C-alpha cells in the first residue's frame, strides 16, 4: 500500500502536478503516514529523478521548475502536520539568494531557489539588484548558512567579490558560506574571489549547497 | 498559418504549360525505347522512324493527367503508410547513388563499399527527420551487374522505412521489383502497399532514353511508384533562363507521364527532378546554388497547378567537406524545399555535386530539416487569449514566472524544436568543457552514438533468407560466389 503511494507521490512530482502532489500529501496524513516518510520516500524520489533527467539533457527547464513547484506544494501541505507531531522537518539549511547590485537577470537564480526549496532548504530570495549590506543583513537576520549570489554581466559579477570581502571583514565566514553563479562565472573567478562554491546549473547548485552544509549524502 | 513560398504568377504558369505543349510537338521528344514508341504511336503520336522523335499531342497529356493518381503512400515494413505523396506534404530522404563517402578521420573521399552504405543506413534509420531511406551509395565491392539490386538488398535488411531507390538497367528493375515482392508476399501486395519508389531519369534536353522509358513502363505495369527525376541544366542542357528550364522540365515530365500511363493507366508517378543551373566558370552543376532551389520551387509550383505529387533534390552541397558552405547551402535549400511544399526532398548528407555522402552531414542536415519542418509548422494559435490569459494572480513580475506555468510545460515542445547535441547552445564554459568542438566534431560524436545504438529491425527470417537466396543467385550469375560478409546479418 505505502509502496504504491510512494510511487504515485514521486510520479506527481515528475509530472509537475501540484494538485496531485497536494492530494497525495493529504492522503498520507489521512492514513497516518509520517509526513517525513512521505517526503523522503515519496516526493523527494521524484525531485531527484527529474534532476538527474535534467542533468542528462532528457528533461527541460519547465519540467524541472514544475517539479520543484509540485514539491513545494506537497511539503507545504505536510508541514502543519509535522509541527503537530513536534518533529518539524529538519531543514537542510537556510539560504539567502540574491542577484547582485546593478544586475536584473535572475532566471538562473530563481531556478536555483526552486531546486533548493524542493531539496529541503529554506530559501529566502531577495530578488534582483541587491546591495551587499542588504544581502548580509538578511543573512544575519535569518541566521543563514549560505548566501547564494548570481550575476549575468561581467560588469556586475565584481559585486560578488564585494559581498565576500565584506563578510570577511565582519568575520562572518566560515559561519556563512558563499555560493556564486551566473553565465560569466568560471572556476577561475570562483577561486579568485575565494567563494565557497559555484555551479553551472540549478541541479549542480543543490549538490554544492548540500556539500557546504555537510549533508552531501542526503 | 502555414508559410508557403511561390515564385511564379498564375499567368506565367499558364504560359509554361502552353509552351511545354508546343515543345512536345516541336521539336518533339526523342524516345529511344521501342516499346515506348509503339505505345505512343498506337495512342496517336507521330513518330519519326529515323530520328525516333515523337510528336506528342496535348490530348495525350490531358488523358494521362486524368488517370494519374493525385496522391498515394509509401509504406514501412510493418505496413503503415508513412510517406504521403500528394498535396503539400513534406518529407526528406538522404541523397541517392553517391560513389564516395567522406572519411571523417582522414577527410578523404573514400570509394564506397558495403560498409559505407550500412553506416549511412544505420544513422538515417534512427533520425526521425528522414521519413524514407535511400539506396544512398553504390557498393563497389560487388559486380556492376548487381550494384543496384544489391543496394536494395542492404536497405531491406537494415531498415523498416520506405525506400527511395532506382535501377540502372531495364533488366535489373525487374529484379528489384521481385525483391520487393518477396518482402511484400506477392507482386500484388508489393503494388497495393508499395514500400519503395524508383527514380527514373529522362536525359536533357527532351530525351527519354531506352533505359529511362523502359523503367517507366516496367514500373507502371508492376504498379510500383515511379519518380521522374528530370535534370535540366540551365545554360547547357536546357535554356539559360529559369523559365525556359522549367518549361523544358515540364515537357519532359509530360512525356514521361504519357508513356507511363499508356503502359498502365492509374499507376502512381511523381513530378520530380534534380534541376540545376550550369556554372559558367567551372562547368559544374551546383546543387547548393540558390538558383537551383529556385528552379525546384518553380517546377513544383507548376506540378501543384496540375495537382501532381512532387519530388526534388535539395539539402545537398557542392562543398567537399562538412563545413560552413555545406551548412548554409544545405540548410537554405532544405528550407526552400519545405516552404515549396515538395513531397519528397532528396539530397541530405551529400557533398560534391551529389557524388559524395557523409554520415556526419546527415546528422547535421537532420537539424536543418527539423528547422525547415518547424518553419512550415507555422506560427500556431494554442490558447483562447493570445497573452492576457498568461498573466494570472501568481505573476510577480519575475523573469522565471512563466517557467512555473503548467501551460509552459504543456506547450513548449510544440512551440520549440529541441535540437540534438549537434547544435551548440551551451555556455562558453560548458562548450569548452565538452572539448571546444565545432559542428563537424559534434556530428562525429553523434554518428558514433547512433552507430552504437543501432539495432537491426526484427524482420521475418523466412523473408530474409528468401531475399538473401535471391540476391546470392544474382551475384552468382554476375560471377561472384559469395556476397560481402555483413556484421548484422549472417544468412543461415
Amino acid at each position: 500500500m505505502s509502496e504504491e503511494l510512494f510511487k504515485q507521490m514521486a510520479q506527481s512530482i515528475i509530472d509537475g502536478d501540484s494538485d496531485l502532489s497536494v492530494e497525495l500529501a493529504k492522503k498520507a496524513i489521512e492514513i497516518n503516514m509520517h509526513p517525513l516518510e512521505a517526503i523522503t520516500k515519496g516526493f523527494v524520489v521524484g525531485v531527484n529523478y527529474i534532476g538527474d533527467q535534467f542533468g542528462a539533457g532528457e528533461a527541460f527547464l519547465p519540467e524541472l521548475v514544475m517539479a520543484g513547484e509540485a514539491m513545494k506544494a506537497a511539503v507545504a501541505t505536510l508541514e502543519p502536520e509535522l509541527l503537530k507531531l513536534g518533529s518539524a522537518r529538519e531543514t537542510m539549511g537556510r539560504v539567502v539568494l540574491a542577484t547582485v547590485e546593478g544586475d536584473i537577470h535572475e532566471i538562473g537564480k530563481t531556478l536555483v531557489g526552486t531546486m533548493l526549496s524542493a531539496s529541503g532548504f529554506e530559501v529566502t530570495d531577495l530578488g534582483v539588484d541587491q546591495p551587499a549590506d542588504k544581502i548580509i543583513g538578511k543573512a544575519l537576520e535569518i541566521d543563514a548558512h549560505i548566501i547564494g549570489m548570481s550575476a549575468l554581466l561581467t560588469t556586475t559579477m565584481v559585486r560578488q567579490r564585494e559581498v565576500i570581502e565584506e563578510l570577511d571583514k565582519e568575520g562572518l565566514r566560515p559561519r556563512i558560506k558563499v555560493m556564486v553563479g551566473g553565465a560569466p562565472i568560471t572556476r577561475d573567478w570562483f577561486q579568485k574571489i575565494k567563494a565557497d562554491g559555484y555551479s553551472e546549473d540549478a541541479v549542480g547548485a543543490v549538490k554544492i549547497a548540500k556539500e557546504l552544509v555537510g549533508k552531501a549524502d542526503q | 498559418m502555414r508559410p508557403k513560398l511561390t515564385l511564379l504568377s498564375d499567368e506565367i504558369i499558364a504560359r509554361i504549360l502552353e509552351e511545354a505543349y508546343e515543345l512536345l510537338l516541336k521539336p518533339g521528344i526523342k524516345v529511344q525505347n521501342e516499346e515506348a514508341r509503339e505505345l505512343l504511336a498506337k495512342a496517336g503520336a507521330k513518330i519519326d522512324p529515323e530520328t525516333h522523335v515523337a510528336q506528342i499531342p496535348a490530348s495525350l497529356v490531358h488523358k494521362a493527367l486524368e488517370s494519374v493518381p493525385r496522391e498515394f503512400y509509401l509504406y514501412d515494413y510493418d505496413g503503415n503508410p508513412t510517406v504521403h505523396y500528394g498535396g503539400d506534404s513534406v518529407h526528406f530522404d538522404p541523397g541517392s547513388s553517391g560513389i564516395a563517402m567522406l572519411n571523417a578521420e582522414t577527410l578523404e573521399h573514400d570509394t564506397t563499399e558495403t560498409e559505407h552504405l550500412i553506416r549511412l543506413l544505420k544513422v538515417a534509420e534512427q533520425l526521425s527527420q528522414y521519413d524514407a531511406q535511400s539506396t544512398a551509395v553504390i557498393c563497389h565491392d560487388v559486380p556492376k551487374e548487381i550494384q543496384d539490386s544489391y543496394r536494395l538488398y542492404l536497405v531491406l535488411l537494415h531498415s523498416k522505412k520506405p525506400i527511395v531507390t532506382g535501377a540502372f538497367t531495364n533488366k535489373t528493375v525487374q529484379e528489384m521489383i521481385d525483391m520487393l515482392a518477396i518482402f511484400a508476399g506477392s507482386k500484388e501486395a508489393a503494388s497495393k502497399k508499395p514500400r519503395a519508389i524508383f527514380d527514373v531519369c529522362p536525359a536533357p534536353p527532351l530525351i527519354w532514353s531506352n533505359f529511362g522509358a523502359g523503367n517507366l513502363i516496367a514500373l507502371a505495369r508492376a504498379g510500383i511508384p515511379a519518380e521522374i527525376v528530370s535534370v535540366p541544366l540551365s545554360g547547357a542542357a536546357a535554356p539559360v533562363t529559369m523559365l525556359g528550364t522549367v518549361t523544358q522540365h515540364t515537357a519532359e515530365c509530360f512525356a514521361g507521364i504519357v508513356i507511363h500511363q499508356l503502359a498502365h493507366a492509374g499507376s502512381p508517378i511523381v513530378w520530380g527532378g534534380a534541376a540545376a543551373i550550369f556554372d559558367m566558370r567551372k562547368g559544374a552543376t551546383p546543387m547548393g546554388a540558390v538558383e537551383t532551389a529556385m528552379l525546384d520551387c518553380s517546377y513544383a509550383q507548376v506540378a501543384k497547378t496540375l495537382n501532381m505529387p512532387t519530388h526534388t533534390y535539395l539539402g545537398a552541397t557542392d562543398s567537399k567537406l562538412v563545413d560552413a558552405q555545406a551548412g548554409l547551402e544545405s540548410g537554405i535549400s532544405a528550407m526552400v524545399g519545405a516552404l515549396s511544399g515538395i513531397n519528397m526532398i532528396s539530397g541530405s548528407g551529400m557533398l560534391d555535386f551529389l557524388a559524395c555522402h557523409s554520415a556526419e552531414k546527415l546528422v547535421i542536415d537532420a537539424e536543418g530539416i527539423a528547422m525547415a519542418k518547424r518553419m512550415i509548422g507555422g506560427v500556431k494559435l494554442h490558447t483562447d487569449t493570445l497573452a492576457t490569459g498568461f498573466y494570472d494572480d501568481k505573476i510577480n513580475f519575475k523573469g522565471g514566472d512563466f517557467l512555473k506555468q503548467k501551460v509552459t510545460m504543456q506547450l513548449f515542445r510544440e512551440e520549440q524544436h529541441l535540437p540534438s547535441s549537434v547544435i551548440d547552445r551551451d555556455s562558453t564554459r560548458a562548450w569548452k568543457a565538452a572539448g571546444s568542438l565545432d559542428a563537424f566534431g559534434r556530428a562525429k560524436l553523434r554518428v558514433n552514438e547512433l552507430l552504437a545504438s543501432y539495432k537491426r529491425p526484427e524482420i521475418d527470417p523466412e523473408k530474409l533468407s528468401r531475399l538473401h537466396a535471391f540476391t546470392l543467385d544474382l551475384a552468382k550469375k554476375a560471377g561472384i560466389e559469395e556476397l560481402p560478409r555483413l556484421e548484422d546479418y549472417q544468412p543461415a
Side-chain angles (χ1 to χ4, degrees):
Chain A
M1 168 69 191
S2 297
E3 285 306 314
E4 189 51 37
L5 187 59
F6 290 147
K7 262 193 204 159
Q8 289 173 7
M9 286 170 167
Q11 195 59 45
S12 72
I13 302 301
I14 292 166
D15 294 340
D17 190 338
S18 297
D19 295 341
L20 184 57
S21 70
V22 167
E23 196 184 301
L24 293 169
K26 285 179 181 162
K27 196 168 172 187
I29 295 167
E30 264 170 43
I31 62 168
N32 287 323
M33 179 184 280
H34 197 289
L36 278 180
E37 206 182 2
I39 293 172
T40 54
K41 292 189 179 167
F43 297 117
V44 165
V45 176
V47 168
N48 289 345
Y49 175 82
I50 209 85
D52 289 347
Q53 289 288 102
F54 181 77
E58 303 286 332
F60 300 89
L61 283 176
E63 287 145 347
L64 190 67
V65 171
M66 291 301 283
E69 293 293 308
M71 182 72 191
K72 267 204 269 184
V75 171
T77 309
L78 292 169
E79 238 154 22
E81 215 49 35
L82 272 173
L83 286 174
K84 269 192 235 161
L85 291 171
S87 63
R89 183 188 182 198
E90 193 192 339
T91 142
M92 294 289 285
R94 285 177 295 280
V95 184
V96 171
L97 287 182
T99 299
V100 295
E101 191 172 4
D103 205 325
I104 54 154
H105 304 88
E106 64 166 345
I107 293 179
K109 182 250 327 156
T110 308
L111 287 175
V112 170
T114 303
M115 288 314 289
L116 286 175
S117 307
S119 306
F121 286 87
E122 224 179 289
V123 177
T124 306
D125 187 342
L126 293 175
V128 297
D129 193 18
Q130 295 294 318
D133 57 337
K134 274 262 191 85
I135 297 173
I136 295 171
K138 180 53 86 174
L140 290 174
E141 183 193 322
I142 65 162
D143 192 16
H145 302 92
I146 298 174
I147 289 175
M149 287 181 284
S150 77
L152 184 85
L153 311 172
T154 48
T155 49
T156 56
M157 70 184 204
V158 291
R159 302 280 180 187
Q160 295 179 336
R161 176 163 26 200
E162 283 177 20
V163 174
I164 289 172
E165 283 170 355
E166 193 62 29
L167 284 169
D168 283 340
K169 212 161 73 189
E170 302 288 330
L172 292 170
R173 287 212 304 169
R175 187 179 129 201
I176 300 175
K177 304 278 202 296
V178 179
M179 289 168 63
V180 291
I185 310 306
T186 59
R187 179 161 289 279
D188 279 353
W189 173 251
F190 143 76
Q191 285 167 344
K192 199 163 150 193
I193 64 172
K194 301 190 176 67
D196 301 297
Y198 102 104
S199 164
E200 300 213 344
D201 58 49
V203 174
V206 173
K207 197 168 154 251
I208 299 293
K210 284 181 177 173
E211 281 171 18
L212 291 182
V213 295
K215 294 175 180 170
D217 50 343
Q218 289 184 36
Chain B
M1 290 188 280
R2 176 172 169 177
K4 259 192 198 178
L5 179 67
T6 52
L7 300 179
L8 307 178
S9 67
D10 291 348
E11 189 199 346
I12 283 291
I13 292 173
R15 288 182 60 187
I16 287 169
L17 294 172
E18 194 182 313
E19 290 199 26
Y21 287 126
E22 286 178 32
L23 291 181
L24 292 178
L25 295 170
K26 189 177 176 242
I29 301 288
K30 197 174 177 78
V31 180
Q32 296 171 318
N33 178 285
E34 194 179 341
E35 200 176 2
R37 287 196 301 274
E38 281 168 14
L39 287 169
L40 285 166
K42 225 169 102 188
K46 223 163 105 185
I47 315 272
D48 184 315
E50 298 294 314
T51 62
H52 296 162
V53 171
Q55 290 174 283
I56 302 173
S59 60
L60 285 190
V61 178
H62 295 153
K63 200 166 168 227
L65 287 176
E66 270 169 34
S67 61
V68 76
R70 298 314 183 190
E71 60 171 349
F72 63 91
Y73 287 90
L74 294 184
Y75 296 78
D76 64 14
Y77 171 80
D78 296 313
N80 306 302
T82 50
V83 168
H84 177 240
Y85 276 94
D88 288 330
S89 295
V90 171
H91 305 280
F92 286 83
D93 75 305
S96 284
S97 300
I99 53 169
M101 184 145 144
L102 179 70
N103 183 317
E105 299 310 320
T106 64
L107 303 184
E108 294 291 327
H109 289 194
D110 295 343
T111 299
T112 43
E113 298 191 344
T114 301
E115 56 166 317
H116 297 104
L117 178 54
I118 290 176
R119 196 175 160 88
L120 291 166
L121 290 170
K122 288 180 176 180
V123 169
E125 190 69 6
Q126 296 171 84
L127 295 171
S128 62
Q129 287 88 350
Y130 300 112
D131 296 309
Q133 288 276 9
S134 71
T135 38
V137 290
I138 289 165
C139 303
H140 292 91
D141 49 345
V142 298
K144 258 198 167 54
E145 294 82 353
I146 62 163
Q147 277 177 355
D148 46 3
S149 48
Y150 177 69
R151 293 183 307 168
L152 182 60
Y153 160 75
L154 289 182
V155 183
L156 289 168
L157 273 180
H158 289 90
S159 172
K160 281 196 166 189
K161 291 187 181 186
I163 307 160
V164 178
T165 186
F168 299 157
T169 68
N170 283 335
K171 176 172 167 280
T172 48
V173 72
Q174 290 296 351
E175 293 164 357
M176 292 171 79
I177 290 168
D178 289 344
M179 292 168 88
L180 293 170
I182 288 174
F183 257 49
S186 68
K187 285 197 175 179
E188 294 70 36
S191 146
K192 202 170 165 218
K193 282 192 171 186
R195 171 91 186 272
I197 186 164
F198 285 68
D199 288 349
V200 184
C201 305
L206 303 173
I207 302 164
W208 272 100
S209 67
N210 176 29
F211 144 64
N215 267 226
L216 280 181
I217 293 168
L219 291 164
R221 289 186 178 147
I224 302 291
E227 189 160 80
I228 299 178
V229 182
S230 160
V231 288
L233 305 171
S234 303
V240 69
T241 61
M242 285 193 197
L243 289 173
T245 300
V246 172
T247 305
Q248 177 181 309
H249 178 277
T250 305
E252 288 173 355
C253 285
F254 275 162
I257 293 168
V258 168
I259 295 168
H260 182 262
Q261 293 297 297
L262 285 174
H264 194 276
S267 277
I269 186 163
V270 174
W271 189 283
I277 55 163
F278 190 74
D279 184 282
M280 295 301 175
R281 199 185 296 138
K282 304 284 184 183
T285 55
M287 298 311 295
V290 72
E291 298 87 351
T292 292
M294 291 166 77
L295 287 169
D296 296 341
C297 174
S298 299
Y299 80 61
Q301 215 186 322
V302 173
K304 282 171 189 296
T305 62
L306 300 164
N307 209 4
M308 285 293 298
T310 48
H311 158 271
T312 198
Y313 249 93
L314 288 172
T317 182
D318 307 313
S319 177
K320 313 303 177 277
L321 296 173
V322 181
D323 59 4
Q325 182 185 338
L328 75 91
E329 289 182 342
S330 304
I332 289 173
S333 70
M335 185 68 81
V336 170
L339 285 169
S340 305
I342 297 174
N343 302 151
M344 182 60 79
I345 302 168
S346 305
S348 292
M350 301 205 89
L351 303 161
D352 189 18
F353 311 98
L354 306 180
C356 184
H357 236 301
S358 160
E360 291 73 27
K361 184 170 183 293
L362 215 46
V363 301
I364 295 174
D365 288 347
E367 294 300 325
I369 292 168
M371 289 167 77
K373 285 190 172 175
R374 176 63 195 90
M375 180 76 166
I376 60 171
V379 177
K380 296 170 198 163
L381 182 63
H382 288 292
T383 48
D384 294 339
T385 63
L386 302 184
T388 52
F390 288 86
Y391 302 86
D392 56 17
D393 42 10
K394 288 187 191 147
I395 289 294
N396 50 13
F397 298 93
K398 282 193 172 183
D401 278 349
F402 299 94
L403 277 171
K404 296 181 182 175
Q405 295 182 342
K406 203 175 254 180
V407 67
T408 301
M409 191 162 88
Q410 287 161 347
L411 289 179
F412 81 96
R413 279 190 175 81
E414 289 184 48
E415 284 294 86
Q416 306 178 359
H417 161 63
L418 298 164
S420 78
S421 55
V422 168
I423 298 296
D424 169 39
R425 290 182 183 169
D426 266 330
S427 64
T428 312
R429 274 182 326 229
W431 173 74
K432 281 185 179 163
S436 306
L437 297 172
D438 63 2
F440 185 58
R442 293 190 296 276
K444 278 161 69 172
L445 293 181
R446 178 116 170 93
V447 166
N448 287 336
E449 280 168 23
L450 291 171
L451 291 175
S453 62
Y454 173 84
K455 282 199 177 63
R456 199 169 65 72
E458 277 180 34
I459 293 168
D460 180 357
E462 161 71 21
K463 284 179 180 174
L464 278 188
S465 68
R466 283 182 59 205
L467 178 73
H468 178 78
F470 183 89
T471 313
L472 184 61
D473 185 50
L474 295 180
K476 283 180 175 164
K477 284 176 191 156
I480 54 169
E481 282 308 305
E482 291 292 333
L483 290 169
R485 276 187 65 81
L486 303 179
E487 195 184 308
D488 299 278
Y489 175 67
Q490 283 83 36

